[in-house]
Amino acid sequence: MARALDLESQRWAQDVAPQRLNGHCHSELAIDIIQIISQGQIKAESITPDLGKQIQHMLLAELAAFLRSYQRAFEDFLERCKQLQNYRANVMANINNCLSFRISLEKWQAPQGLLGPLNELKSHGFDTLLQGLFWDLKPLFKRFTQTRWTASAQTLEEIVSTVETRLPEFSELRECFQEELMELVHLHLVKEYIVRLCKRRVVLKTAEQQQQLAGQVLANAEVIQHFCTQIGSPATWLHHALPKLAEIIRLQDPSAIKMEVATYATWYPDFSKGHLSAILAIKGMSSSEVKSIRSILDVHTGAPEATKALFSLIKVG
């Protein structure tokens, strides 16, 4: 297994292009490793079933050590080989490897902990693939605060167009990983939009102004949701994030706002008092009203167990 990894990482460093299989970047590494493990298991079982059971634990321990080595070798490649022509293709081939490993680990009923290095590898691979796109989007999102939101539809159109232009770059990932990547794009668009909303420095004193902004946020939310669904993001959990913030901006009655905030916190348990204050600052409410509304986040304890991060990725002053 160590020799197979060594040969594979040499190919990455020498800028050898990965194979293509059904239009996806492909590496034989996962197949080789799975074969080595399976053959060891079959050999042991052919001697005695008892030996087969004993050897399974040993083989899985070896596989766990291999996956940690694989992750380290991949991290090293990500760091050192950025300038190589086939860098992105090899990143995609390694992400695609994760599927074969995952299927085999499930078949062998291996402990969940074995997936840790693969999840890390995939996550860092995704970050690498998305780096350029997110860098291009940065100045566009900055425009939201610079133009006082008056040209928000036009800015959003440019953001969507920028993402659309870059989509072919990810087409050599397997479909399941393309979906995961599109969820990360979806999350980034929603997150960056909220960041800009929290950074607004203009106070809207009248109900009419607040309703106008809420209308813009709602319209933009629809564009983001429609586009992200169209490109294959499965992240329905993000659908409430912007429309419900628009509702908090639109509402005038503090009790109604409080109820809306309580519901919002059930969907996004990482929505903090800091985030709430940043949104309420747009409305220019009195400090006693803000304090009263913020207090609802003290009482609320309905957090579902495994929630995904949204607001914990957003820093507020």
Side-chain angles (χ1 to χ4, degrees):
M1 290 198 291
R3 193 164 61 246
L5 177 59
D6 198 38
L7 287 169
E8 184 71 9
S9 43
Q10 277 175 38
R11 280 197 284 271
W12 309 333
Q14 288 160 7
D15 203 24
V16 177
Q19 299 171 43
R20 294 323 197 261
L21 187 68
N22 301 326
H24 302 131
C25 294
H26 174 74
S27 151
E28 292 287 313
L29 180 67
I31 293 160
D32 292 344
I33 300 303
I34 291 160
Q35 216 164 22
I36 292 166
I37 296 285
S38 299
Q39 282 168 356
Q41 185 69 41
I42 291 162
K43 212 177 283 183
E45 282 170 1
S46 71
I47 300 166
T48 70
D50 195 42
L51 184 62
K53 279 181 189 168
Q54 284 177 48
I55 207 93
Q56 188 181 20
H57 297 296
M58 294 168 76
L59 288 169
L60 288 176
E62 286 298 325
L63 181 59
F66 167 80
L67 291 175
R68 288 193 295 272
S69 299
Y70 178 28
Q71 189 205 336
R72 283 194 298 272
F74 183 67
E75 299 282 346
D76 193 52
F77 161 69
L78 287 184
E79 197 53 48
R80 290 168 183 264
C81 301
K82 289 176 186 173
Q83 304 310 315
L84 299 181
Q85 193 181 338
N86 291 301
Y87 179 68
R88 289 177 69 87
N90 277 313
V91 170
M92 286 190 268
N94 281 288
I95 293 171
N96 288 340
N97 265 341
C98 294
L99 184 62
S100 306
F101 277 124
R102 199 164 65 199
I103 291 167
S104 294
L105 288 169
E106 282 169 12
K107 195 172 80 181
W108 298 329
Q109 296 178 327
Q112 282 292 305
L114 258 72
L115 288 169
L118 291 173
N119 290 337
E120 285 291 308
L121 183 152
K122 182 182 68 176
S123 174
H124 291 164
F126 282 160
D127 289 347
T128 300
L129 293 177
L130 290 169
Q131 214 168 21
L133 169 62
F134 290 173
W135 181 259
D136 288 350
L137 293 177
K138 212 173 181 178
L140 294 175
F141 272 109
K142 275 189 176 170
R143 273 197 224 160
F144 277 116
T145 30
Q146 288 161 355
T147 58
R148 299 187 174 214
W149 298 74
T150 43
S152 66
Q154 193 186 337
T155 302
L156 197 57
E157 216 172 280
E158 282 187 59
I159 287 167
V160 163
S161 168
T162 303
V163 174
E164 215 161 11
T165 309
R166 303 290 288 264
L167 288 181
E169 293 177 19
F170 313 116
S171 64
E172 291 183 311
L173 282 170
R174 283 173 179 253
E175 283 78 5
C176 61
F177 296 126
Q178 282 186 46
E179 268 193 18
E180 283 186 51
L181 196 81
M182 290 310 112
E183 176 162 357
L184 291 175
V185 170
H186 191 170
L187 172 62
H188 185 78
L189 298 186
V190 170
K191 173 181 76 86
E192 287 302 309
Y193 191 95
I194 295 170
V195 166
R196 293 294 139 195
L197 204 53
C198 288
K199 282 189 174 177
R200 273 188 62 96
R201 293 289 169 262
V202 183
V203 175
L204 305 174
K205 291 270 172 87
T206 71
E208 194 186 341
Q209 288 173 321
Q210 290 170 28
Q211 279 162 12
Q212 197 179 356
L213 175 63
Q216 282 178 345
V217 173
L218 201 56
N220 293 341
E222 279 169 17
V223 170
I224 291 171
Q225 186 178 318
H226 176 73
F227 172 66
C228 291
T229 305
Q230 206 176 25
I231 63 173
S233 163
T236 51
W237 67 279
L238 286 167
H239 289 180
H240 291 301
L242 294 173
K244 293 299 174 185
L245 281 183
E247 188 61 6
I248 291 169
I249 293 166
R250 187 190 70 80
L251 289 168
Q252 298 303 304
D253 175 43
S255 304
I257 295 171
K258 205 183 265 194
M259 281 173 68
E260 197 63 49
V261 169
T263 311
Y264 197 71
T266 61
W267 286 317
Y268 307 104
D270 55 355
F271 182 59
S272 71
K273 287 183 177 183
H275 298 113
L276 177 57
S277 295
I279 297 300
L280 295 179
I282 297 167
K283 297 168 73 66
M285 300 176 89
S286 71
S287 56
S288 61
E289 282 176 327
V290 170
K291 196 177 175 184
S292 166
I293 293 166
R294 272 167 56 112
S295 70
I296 197 71
L297 293 177
D298 292 327
V299 242
H300 176 69
T301 53
E305 274 177 30
T307 54
K308 297 187 179 190
L310 170 60
F311 285 91
S312 52
L313 306 172
I314 299 168
K315 288 177 187 167
V316 278

